[in-house]
Amino acid sequence: MVLVGIVTILALLQYMVLGTLVGRARVKYGIEAPAITGDPMFERYFRVHQNMLEALVVFLPALWIFAYYMNAMVAAVVGVVFLLSRVLYVRGYLADPKRRAAGALTTFVTNVILVVGGLAGLVHKLLF
């Protein structure tokens, strides 16, 4: 479970870094709070940060449920793939929003694996 904890902390750090990038972009592009629109490049930074939050809502509980009821090592490996998929998503989206598909798809797939696997582990525990 230690590796799952490390993946969790890395995901939270990744989210915090994206938040910092939004703050920097806010200054760079002259977008004063509470505005979230204005410059298309700022909006990209803002969206990748928000998208990370949207993905984390599924990822974090699913990661821990999968780890506890299925396999912690597999959960950690899938978690690392999730983290890499987020890097792919951010790089693609910041370059051109149309290039976000690979990162978005791998994020979705990792979350599906964790949710379905976690559910299977819970059902197995319930029945056996």
Side-chain angles (χ1 to χ4, degrees), residues 12-26 42 45-46 48-50 52:
L12 296 173
L13 286 170
Q14 194 174 46
Y15 178 72
M16 292 168 65
V17 167
L18 292 174
T20 301
L21 294 177
V22 171
R24 287 174 144 182
R26 189 175 285 285
F42 168 76
Y45 279 97
F46 183 80
V48 297
H49 185 239
Q50 289 303 301
M52 179 68 174

Side-chain angles (χ1 to χ4, degrees), residues 25-108:
R26 189 175 285 285
V27 172
K28 180 177 181 179
Y29 299 107
I31 309 298
E32 292 190 28
I36 57 170
T37 61
D39 184 277
M41 204 58 212
F42 168 76
E43 292 173 15
R44 290 182 193 182
Y45 279 97
F46 183 80
R47 273 306 304 148
V48 297
H49 185 239
Q50 289 303 301
N51 186 271
M52 179 68 174
L53 178 60
E54 294 160 6
L56 282 175
V57 168
V58 175
F59 174 71
L60 291 174
L63 176 72
W64 282 90
I65 292 168
F66 186 103
Y68 189 79
Y69 290 101
M70 289 295 281
N71 184 297
M73 181 59 73
V74 173
V77 170
V78 174
V80 168
V81 174
F82 172 89
L83 295 173
L84 295 173
S85 72
R86 300 315 301 160
V87 171
L88 185 63
Y89 178 87
V90 170
R91 291 180 67 149
Y93 199 98
L94 292 179
D96 178 358
K98 293 176 184 167
R99 291 180 48 195
R100 73 189 189 281
L105 180 61
T106 54
T107 297
F108 177 75

